[in-house]
Each structure stands twice: as C-alpha cells, then as structure tokens.
Amino acid sequence: MDCTQEGPVSRGMNTRTPVIELRQITKSFGSFTAVHTIDLVIGEGEFFTIVGPSGSGKTTVLRMLAGLETPTSGDILLRGKRINDVPANRRPTCMVFQSLALFPHRTVGENIEFPLKIRDVSKADRKARALQLMEQLRLPADYYGKNVTKCSGGERQRVALARALAYNPDILFFDEPLSAIDYKLRKTLEKELKDIHRETGKTFIYITHSLEEAMVMSDRIGVMRQGRLVQVGTPNEIYTAPNSKFVSEFIGDVNIIPVAINGTGKLHSAELGAEFTSPPIPAGFRSGHLVVRPESIRIVERSDSAENRLSGRLYNEYALGSRIQYQVRVGEQVFIVERLRQQAFQGGIDSEVQIGWNARDSILVGD
Ligand code: ATP
C-alpha cells in the first residue's frame, strides 16, 4: 500500500482516497449512549483531529477505530473492508501512540526497537532503524542508551512517536499526547508533529480537548459534543464558519449576541436594544446568535465606517504579547476587542467608547 500518496487538499468534505469510514456508528455502555450515529470519512494521508470537551466521546471513537471497543451498531471500514470485529492486534495498519505506554527502566533504543524485535529484525538493522528514527525526531544519537525515565516529558513523547513509527503503520492514532506538557514545549511539539506528518505521508488521527492545538496541526477537524459529531471542516472553516454557538465558543474568546428577527425583518438584540446589519439571514431563521470574533470588532474612531456600532465603557485591558485585549461593557454584556500592541487604544479604563464591526465580519448561528 502506498501510504505516501496524497489527493487534493480536502475542504469540509474529504476529497482524498478514503482510508477509514465510520457509517452510522453508535456505542452504548449499558443504557448510556456515549457515541451517537457518527458518519465520517477520513482520507489517506490526512491529519484528522477529533476535538471536544471532556466526556464528549472522543476516546470512545478512537478506541473503536483502534479495535479496543466494538461499536454497538454501525460499521467501521478500513479501505472498504468492514473491521468492526477485528481486534486491535489484528489491525496491522493501526496503533495507538501514548508516551505513558513506554517501557520504563528500558533505554530509548530498546523502546524504539521493540516493534522490530518482535518481528525478528536483526540487532544491527534494529539499531540502524532506531538511530534513523531518532534523527528524524530530533533526539540526539547518544540518547540511544539512555534510560527513558531520565528523559524529559517532551523527549519521552518523541521516543513514543519513534516507537510508533517503527511499527511502520499506515495510520497512527494519537490520544491527547501533549496534554500533560507545558505550553511552550507543546507549541514546539505541535509543529514538529505536523512536520513529521508531512514527511511520512501517513494518516494521523488525533484527539484533543484543545481546538487551538487542533487548528495548528490538522487538515480537518471534527468537533464532538455529547457523543455527536456536530461539525467537520478545515481549521479555516471551523474558525470562520462555525455552525453553532457551541462550536464558535469552543475556539476561545468570542463575542456572542443573542438575536432575533423583529417585526421589520431586521436582526435585533432585545438585551442591547439595538438593530444590526447582518450577514445573509438563512431562510427560516427566527432567533439565534450573532458571533463576532475579538479581532473583527474594534474601538471605532470618528472616521470609522463600521456598519454596526454600540456605545459602552472600557472596563478592563490585558496585554497578550503582540496584542492587547480590551473588555468593553455595553449594558449587561462585556465585549472582547483586540488590537495590535502598536495600535493600542490611548483612552484609559472607564473611557466612554464606541465599538463597531462590519456585517461581513460577523456570523449568524443557531444554538
Ligand atoms: P475525555 O476528554 O475526558 O477523555 P472523551 O471525550 O474522550 O473525554 P469518552 O472517554 O469517550 O469521552 O467518554 C464518553 C462518555 O462515555 C463519558 O460519559 C464516559 O463516562 C462514558 N464511558 C466511556 N467509557 C465507558 C465505559 N467503559 N463504561 C461506561 N461508560 C463509559
């Protein structure tokens, strides 16, 4: 199987050759349904991330894909063949990667070589392959004889990934591998993982709580909520066109205004006592939420031509490195506005300000 082959870059729909298909997958534990009727196609060579809050069913989906759980109903297909009942050890193309699964008190080399040893690869060939993988994963060659317990968290993640690659699977599963790692190292490892994905051309299926982490690495993201896959799309689609309040909030700071269509067919906020120029209103829309990202909303100067404006009071400000975040209170609602540091707002806390945005920079969603 040529696992380096890639199709066109996928958009919301997978446009690559399908490798894994979930058809109407449901998983129940007793009377509790953890995963509800999921349909999903993951393409060959894709970096696909399942993201969602705790308990949303991500691990259960991954465990079914890896053969560690059997679906209650529905089918899982691997390259067109039903694999529902094929156990994990008989899915040679799949494996779960987790640094916690490393053998403690063994060396880096022994850990990486394990999959090769059980396949009776000669000692010299095993070592050569281990050193090659270590180089690819930027682990110094003299770590070969180092005990894994003496490695840092980030190094252990790399050893675990090297061992997973030593199995030479077409598909790698990642179960929150970076969740216990500090922010700076996590950011580095996210980029490295993306590079390794590109270099190997393998299919990566990854789960995380963090949509931010998913955004950095993934070709596409599936967002889960209460056992359901509520949106699948590219990072750009998820960010710019969330299909619900839940997805738009999940990505971090965002302004959400409850709105309804009023008697004149305009978008109206009862709480703010304001009408808005809106993006196109979908047929049948009666009420929902207007979403405006902090970078799309601004403190307006006199000359500003913002289509929507609200008067408020500057309530707080926070330095976020290259950006400054302002909180502006309008009635009972606090809006989040961001500006580049070079364009810092000169008025102080408690200034009367106007905030504004253009209709095209807002998104209308349901609940
Ligand atoms: P987290 O991010 O916290 O790991 P998750 O999104 O991966 O959460 P799952 O671990 O898939 O969520 O769990 C989904 C739901 O199914 C949870 O309510 C969980 O308690 C339940 N669940 C998972 N495995 C079992 C099991 N073996 N028996 C009973 N309930 C289970």
Side-chain angles (χ1 to χ4, degrees):
M1 167 94 240
D2 174 11
C3 56
T4 60
Q5 140 204 353
E6 290 209 2
V9 175
S10 64
R11 293 277 134 212
M13 295 290 288
N14 170 54
T15 52
R16 300 166 188 250
T17 311
V19 58
I20 290 262
E21 278 184 63
L22 283 83
R23 292 190 184 160
Q24 297 278 297
I25 287 293
T26 292
K27 177 69 187 178
S28 302
F29 297 105
S31 60
F32 176 73
T33 304
V35 171
H36 290 265
T37 49
I38 286 192
D39 282 300
L40 177 67
V41 180
I42 297 175
E44 200 81 67
E46 190 170 21
F47 196 136
F48 190 92
T49 301
I50 301 172
V51 69
S54 188
S56 56
K58 308 178 293 292
T59 308
T60 305
V61 170
L62 197 75
R63 287 175 61 79
M64 287 190 282
L65 291 176
L68 301 168
E69 293 286 0
T70 311
T72 306
S73 61
D75 286 325
I76 302 179
L77 282 77
L78 174 65
R79 301 200 173 89
K81 290 209 176 78
R82 187 175 178 279
I83 56 160
N84 288 34
D85 306 314
V86 178
N89 61 359
R90 301 221 353 257
R91 295 187 189 186
T93 53
C94 309
M95 87 147 283
V96 176
F97 152 62
Q98 250 182 341
S99 68
L100 297 175
L102 287 174
F103 302 118
H105 314 303
R106 293 280 179 89
T107 65
V108 167
E110 284 168 334
N111 266 284
I112 299 174
E113 287 175 24
F114 175 74
L116 304 172
K117 197 171 173 187
I118 56 174
R119 286 180 200 165
D120 290 331
V121 176
S122 76
K123 207 167 176 195
D125 287 350
R126 288 199 313 253
K127 182 166 183 181
R129 178 70 180 138
L131 288 169
Q132 186 192 13
L133 286 164
M134 287 169 66
E135 190 183 350
Q136 187 178 7
L137 292 164
R138 295 175 261 293
L139 283 163
D142 60 7
Y143 273 41
Y144 182 82
K146 187 171 178 164
N147 194 301
V148 275
T149 51
K150 302 226 164 77
C151 293
S152 71
E155 288 162 357
R156 278 202 293 273
Q157 294 297 346
R158 291 191 187 114
V159 175
L161 182 53
R163 189 179 64 175
L165 289 167
Y167 280 93
N168 199 25
D170 291 347
I171 304 168
L172 276 92
F173 296 117
F174 297 85
D175 187 354
E176 306 233 24
L178 308 182
S179 57
I181 291 178
D182 73 68
Y183 182 80
K184 194 155 177 274
L185 181 59
R186 196 165 73 230
K187 292 282 128 196
T188 309
L189 291 174
E190 283 170 6
K191 291 188 184 118
E192 285 186 13
L193 213 47
K194 187 172 175 149
D195 290 347
I196 290 157
H197 172 252
R198 197 180 47 237
E199 284 162 22
T200 60
K202 294 181 186 297
T203 305
F204 280 21
I205 304 179
Y206 193 101
I207 62 171
T208 176
H209 285 88
S210 162
L211 192 48
E212 189 193 341
E213 186 173 313
M215 291 273 170
V216 175
M217 299 184 290
S218 319
D219 293 314
R220 285 188 311 150
I221 295 168
V223 184
M224 285 194 72
R225 180 190 192 188
Q226 294 173 352
R228 295 177 198 278
L229 201 51
V230 292
Q231 188 169 6
V232 177
T234 62
N236 188 48
E237 284 165 347
I238 299 282
Y239 189 80
T240 59
N243 65 4
S244 63
K245 178 172 177 268
F246 173 80
V247 174
S248 57
E249 278 178 319
F250 198 62
I251 201 166
D253 289 331
V254 69
N255 299 294
I256 297 183
I257 309 169
V259 287
I261 304 290
N262 65 14
T264 58
K266 286 274 182 77
L267 213 54
H268 178 257
S269 158
E271 286 84 353
L272 298 171
E275 264 186 11
F276 300 114
T277 305
S278 72
I281 299 174
F285 181 93
R286 300 306 315 156
S287 66
H289 304 272
L290 193 62
V291 175
V292 197
R293 298 264 177 229
E295 69 276 15
S296 299
I297 198 164
R298 52 195 190 266
I299 297 175
V300 297
E301 313 289 350
R302 213 169 277 156
S303 58
D304 198 300
S305 60
E307 289 167 327
N308 293 305
R309 287 164 184 259
L310 291 167
S311 297
R313 185 179 289 276
L314 186 62
Y315 169 72
N316 230 330
E317 66 177 56
Y318 304 96
L320 303 179
S322 61
R323 293 163 296 127
I324 300 184
Q325 186 179 91
Y326 301 94
Q327 291 189 337
V328 176
R329 187 180 279 282
V330 180
E332 291 300 303
Q333 185 162 354
V334 174
F335 282 80
I336 301 163
V337 179
E338 281 182 13
R339 273 193 177 188
L340 291 174
R341 176 174 289 280
Q342 303 89 298
Q343 294 154 10
F345 176 63
Q346 296 306 322
I349 301 287
D350 269 345
S351 305
E352 299 281 351
V353 292
Q354 278 213 324
I355 54 171
W357 69 93
N358 290 327
R360 67 167 183 277
D361 296 326
S362 59
I363 308 153
L364 206 50
V365 295
D367 284 318

PDB file of all heavy atoms in Angstrom, residues 29 32 34 52-60 69 176 207 209, ligand 1:
ATOM      1  N   PHE A  29     -22.888   2.097  26.482  1.00  0.00           N
ATOM      2  CA  PHE A  29     -22.419   1.345  27.649  1.00  0.00           C
ATOM      3  C   PHE A  29     -23.651   1.162  28.529  1.00  0.00           C
ATOM      4  O   PHE A  29     -24.118   2.131  29.133  1.00  0.00           O
ATOM      5  CB  PHE A  29     -21.332   2.120  28.394  1.00  0.00           C
ATOM      6  CG  PHE A  29     -20.077   2.344  27.576  1.00  0.00           C
ATOM      7  CD1 PHE A  29     -19.796   3.595  27.041  1.00  0.00           C
ATOM      8  CD2 PHE A  29     -19.187   1.304  27.332  1.00  0.00           C
ATOM      9  CE1 PHE A  29     -18.647   3.809  26.289  1.00  0.00           C
ATOM     10  CE2 PHE A  29     -18.037   1.512  26.587  1.00  0.00           C
ATOM     11  CZ  PHE A  29     -17.769   2.759  26.062  1.00  0.00           C
ATOM     12  N   PHE A  32     -26.415   3.914  28.668  1.00  0.00           N
ATOM     13  CA  PHE A  32     -25.832   5.221  28.305  1.00  0.00           C
ATOM     14  C   PHE A  32     -25.214   5.167  26.906  1.00  0.00           C
ATOM     15  O   PHE A  32     -24.390   4.299  26.617  1.00  0.00           O
ATOM     16  CB  PHE A  32     -24.757   5.608  29.339  1.00  0.00           C
ATOM     17  CG  PHE A  32     -24.048   6.876  29.004  1.00  0.00           C
ATOM     18  CD1 PHE A  32     -24.687   8.102  29.155  1.00  0.00           C
ATOM     19  CD2 PHE A  32     -22.744   6.858  28.518  1.00  0.00           C
ATOM     20  CE1 PHE A  32     -24.044   9.290  28.847  1.00  0.00           C
ATOM     21  CE2 PHE A  32     -22.089   8.033  28.200  1.00  0.00           C
ATOM     22  CZ  PHE A  32     -22.743   9.244  28.367  1.00  0.00           C
ATOM     23  N   ALA A  34     -22.703   6.687  24.514  1.00  0.00           N
ATOM     24  CA  ALA A  34     -21.532   7.581  24.540  1.00  0.00           C
ATOM     25  C   ALA A  34     -21.269   8.179  23.166  1.00  0.00           C
ATOM     26  O   ALA A  34     -20.731   9.290  23.046  1.00  0.00           O
ATOM     27  CB  ALA A  34     -20.304   6.813  25.007  1.00  0.00           C
ATOM     28  N   GLY A  52     -13.199  18.017  21.323  1.00  0.00           N
ATOM     29  CA  GLY A  52     -14.465  18.149  22.051  1.00  0.00           C
ATOM     30  C   GLY A  52     -14.191  18.200  23.532  1.00  0.00           C
ATOM     31  O   GLY A  52     -13.111  17.798  23.980  1.00  0.00           O
ATOM     32  N   PRO A  53     -15.151  18.678  24.304  1.00  0.00           N
ATOM     33  CA  PRO A  53     -14.938  18.752  25.745  1.00  0.00           C
ATOM     34  C   PRO A  53     -14.880  17.363  26.378  1.00  0.00           C
ATOM     35  O   PRO A  53     -15.206  16.364  25.728  1.00  0.00           O
ATOM     36  CB  PRO A  53     -16.143  19.542  26.250  1.00  0.00           C
ATOM     37  CG  PRO A  53     -17.162  19.475  25.186  1.00  0.00           C
ATOM     38  CD  PRO A  53     -16.463  19.180  23.900  1.00  0.00           C
ATOM     39  N   SER A  54     -14.498  17.328  27.637  1.00  0.00           N
ATOM     40  CA  SER A  54     -14.407  16.077  28.373  1.00  0.00           C
ATOM     41  C   SER A  54     -15.747  15.348  28.361  1.00  0.00           C
ATOM     42  O   SER A  54     -16.792  15.967  28.564  1.00  0.00           O
ATOM     43  CB  SER A  54     -13.989  16.416  29.807  1.00  0.00           C
ATOM     44  OG  SER A  54     -13.709  15.244  30.482  1.00  0.00           O
ATOM     45  N   GLY A  55     -15.700  14.050  28.069  1.00  0.00           N
ATOM     46  CA  GLY A  55     -16.927  13.256  28.089  1.00  0.00           C
ATOM     47  C   GLY A  55     -17.725  13.312  26.800  1.00  0.00           C
ATOM     48  O   GLY A  55     -18.799  12.730  26.714  1.00  0.00           O
ATOM     49  N   SER A  56     -17.197  14.000  25.766  1.00  0.00           N
ATOM     50  CA  SER A  56     -17.977  14.140  24.529  1.00  0.00           C
ATOM     51  C   SER A  56     -17.911  12.886  23.654  1.00  0.00           C
ATOM     52  O   SER A  56     -18.629  12.788  22.657  1.00  0.00           O
ATOM     53  CB  SER A  56     -17.524  15.376  23.738  1.00  0.00           C
ATOM     54  OG  SER A  56     -16.156  15.311  23.462  1.00  0.00           O
ATOM     55  N   GLY A  57     -17.009  11.948  23.973  1.00  0.00           N
ATOM     56  CA  GLY A  57     -16.982  10.679  23.245  1.00  0.00           C
ATOM     57  C   GLY A  57     -15.766  10.484  22.342  1.00  0.00           C
ATOM     58  O   GLY A  57     -15.686   9.496  21.608  1.00  0.00           O
ATOM     59  N   LYS A  58     -14.795  11.392  22.427  1.00  0.00           N
ATOM     60  CA  LYS A  58     -13.616  11.318  21.547  1.00  0.00           C
ATOM     61  C   LYS A  58     -12.857  10.007  21.721  1.00  0.00           C
ATOM     62  O   LYS A  58     -12.547   9.320  20.754  1.00  0.00           O
ATOM     63  CB  LYS A  58     -12.629  12.475  21.861  1.00  0.00           C
ATOM     64  CG  LYS A  58     -13.223  13.845  21.862  1.00  0.00           C
ATOM     65  CD  LYS A  58     -12.187  14.898  22.219  1.00  0.00           C
ATOM     66  CE  LYS A  58     -11.664  14.835  23.630  1.00  0.00           C
ATOM     67  NZ  LYS A  58     -12.616  15.167  24.700  1.00  0.00           N
ATOM     68  N   THR A  59     -12.554   9.681  22.991  1.00  0.00           N
ATOM     69  CA  THR A  59     -11.753   8.478  23.251  1.00  0.00           C
ATOM     70  C   THR A  59     -12.509   7.232  22.803  1.00  0.00           C
ATOM     71  O   THR A  59     -11.909   6.294  22.271  1.00  0.00           O
ATOM     72  CB  THR A  59     -11.421   8.373  24.756  1.00  0.00           C
ATOM     73  OG1 THR A  59     -10.846   9.615  25.147  1.00  0.00           O
ATOM     74  CG2 THR A  59     -10.440   7.261  25.041  1.00  0.00           C
ATOM     75  N   THR A  60     -13.820   7.246  23.018  1.00  0.00           N
ATOM     76  CA  THR A  60     -14.609   6.080  22.614  1.00  0.00           C
ATOM     77  C   THR A  60     -14.521   5.885  21.101  1.00  0.00           C
ATOM     78  O   THR A  60     -14.362   4.759  20.621  1.00  0.00           O
ATOM     79  CB  THR A  60     -16.073   6.256  23.085  1.00  0.00           C
ATOM     80  OG1 THR A  60     -16.060   6.507  24.496  1.00  0.00           O
ATOM     81  CG2 THR A  60     -16.901   5.032  22.802  1.00  0.00           C
ATOM     82  N   GLU A  69     -12.585  -1.179  21.277  1.00  0.00           N
ATOM     83  CA  GLU A  69     -14.016  -1.262  21.602  1.00  0.00           C
ATOM     84  C   GLU A  69     -14.739  -1.694  20.335  1.00  0.00           C
ATOM     85  O   GLU A  69     -14.288  -1.363  19.228  1.00  0.00           O
ATOM     86  CB  GLU A  69     -14.610   0.104  21.971  1.00  0.00           C
ATOM     87  CG  GLU A  69     -14.153   0.752  23.218  1.00  0.00           C
ATOM     88  CD  GLU A  69     -14.695   0.151  24.502  1.00  0.00           C
ATOM     89  OE1 GLU A  69     -15.478  -0.827  24.436  1.00  0.00           O
ATOM     90  OE2 GLU A  69     -14.298   0.646  25.559  1.00  0.00           O
ATOM     91  N   GLU A 176      -4.465  12.382  22.941  1.00  0.00           N
ATOM     92  CA  GLU A 176      -4.050  13.533  23.758  1.00  0.00           C
ATOM     93  C   GLU A 176      -2.579  13.449  24.173  1.00  0.00           C
ATOM     94  O   GLU A 176      -2.263  13.561  25.366  1.00  0.00           O
ATOM     95  CB  GLU A 176      -4.907  13.621  25.019  1.00  0.00           C
ATOM     96  CG  GLU A 176      -6.378  13.650  24.710  1.00  0.00           C
ATOM     97  CD  GLU A 176      -7.103  14.804  25.354  1.00  0.00           C
ATOM     98  OE1 GLU A 176      -6.447  15.817  25.664  1.00  0.00           O
ATOM     99  OE2 GLU A 176      -8.316  14.695  25.518  1.00  0.00           O
ATOM    100  N   ILE A 207      -6.739  12.978  18.912  1.00  0.00           N
ATOM    101  CA  ILE A 207      -7.815  13.576  19.706  1.00  0.00           C
ATOM    102  C   ILE A 207      -7.252  14.544  20.735  1.00  0.00           C
ATOM    103  O   ILE A 207      -6.149  14.356  21.247  1.00  0.00           O
ATOM    104  CB  ILE A 207      -8.747  12.547  20.397  1.00  0.00           C
ATOM    105  CG1 ILE A 207      -8.006  11.680  21.391  1.00  0.00           C
ATOM    106  CG2 ILE A 207      -9.492  11.710  19.399  1.00  0.00           C
ATOM    107  CD1 ILE A 207      -8.961  10.829  22.213  1.00  0.00           C
ATOM    108  N   HIS A 209      -8.607  17.986  23.650  1.00  0.00           N
ATOM    109  CA  HIS A 209      -9.607  18.922  24.182  1.00  0.00           C
ATOM    110  C   HIS A 209      -9.461  20.278  23.526  1.00  0.00           C
ATOM    111  O   HIS A 209     -10.346  21.112  23.618  1.00  0.00           O
ATOM    112  CB  HIS A 209      -9.321  19.222  25.667  1.00  0.00           C
ATOM    113  CG  HIS A 209      -9.667  18.152  26.610  1.00  0.00           C
ATOM    114  ND1 HIS A 209      -8.799  17.151  26.949  1.00  0.00           N
ATOM    115  CD2 HIS A 209     -10.801  17.943  27.310  1.00  0.00           C
ATOM    116  CE1 HIS A 209      -9.394  16.370  27.835  1.00  0.00           C
ATOM    117  NE2 HIS A 209     -10.606  16.830  28.060  1.00  0.00           N
TER     118      HIS A 209
HETATM  119  P1  ATP B   1     -12.046  12.985  27.953  1.00  0.00           P
HETATM  120  O1  ATP B   1     -11.612  14.127  27.106  1.00  0.00           O
HETATM  121  O2  ATP B   1     -12.372  13.379  29.354  1.00  0.00           O
HETATM  122  O3  ATP B   1     -11.148  11.789  27.847  1.00  0.00           O
HETATM  123  P2  ATP B   1     -13.845  11.940  25.945  1.00  0.00           P
HETATM  124  O4  ATP B   1     -14.431  12.981  25.063  1.00  0.00           O
HETATM  125  O5  ATP B   1     -12.694  11.174  25.406  1.00  0.00           O
HETATM  126  O6  ATP B   1     -13.497  12.552  27.363  1.00  0.00           O
HETATM  127  P3  ATP B   1     -15.026   9.370  26.416  1.00  0.00           P
HETATM  128  O7  ATP B   1     -13.894   8.874  27.252  1.00  0.00           O
HETATM  129  O8  ATP B   1     -15.162   8.818  25.051  1.00  0.00           O
HETATM  130  O9  ATP B   1     -15.026  10.963  26.335  1.00  0.00           O
HETATM  131  O10 ATP B   1     -16.359   9.109  27.225  1.00  0.00           O
HETATM  132  C1  ATP B   1     -17.628   9.494  26.718  1.00  0.00           C
HETATM  133  C2  ATP B   1     -18.667   9.090  27.733  1.00  0.00           C
HETATM  134  O11 ATP B   1     -18.766   7.661  27.794  1.00  0.00           O
HETATM  135  C3  ATP B   1     -18.367   9.546  29.153  1.00  0.00           C
HETATM  136  O12 ATP B   1     -19.547   9.951  29.776  1.00  0.00           O
HETATM  137  C4  ATP B   1     -17.802   8.311  29.798  1.00  0.00           C
HETATM  138  O13 ATP B   1     -18.047   8.314  31.198  1.00  0.00           O
HETATM  139  C5  ATP B   1     -18.550   7.194  29.102  1.00  0.00           C
HETATM  140  N1  ATP B   1     -17.773   5.957  29.039  1.00  0.00           N
HETATM  141  C6  ATP B   1     -16.611   5.776  28.375  1.00  0.00           C
HETATM  142  N2  ATP B   1     -16.165   4.515  28.516  1.00  0.00           N
HETATM  143  C7  ATP B   1     -17.072   3.877  29.305  1.00  0.00           C
HETATM  144  C8  ATP B   1     -17.198   2.544  29.820  1.00  0.00           C
HETATM  145  N3  ATP B   1     -16.300   1.604  29.530  1.00  0.00           N
HETATM  146  N4  ATP B   1     -18.274   2.276  30.568  1.00  0.00           N
HETATM  147  C9  ATP B   1     -19.216   3.205  30.843  1.00  0.00           C
HETATM  148  N5  ATP B   1     -19.158   4.477  30.396  1.00  0.00           N
HETATM  149  C10 ATP B   1     -18.119   4.815  29.634  1.00  0.00           C
END
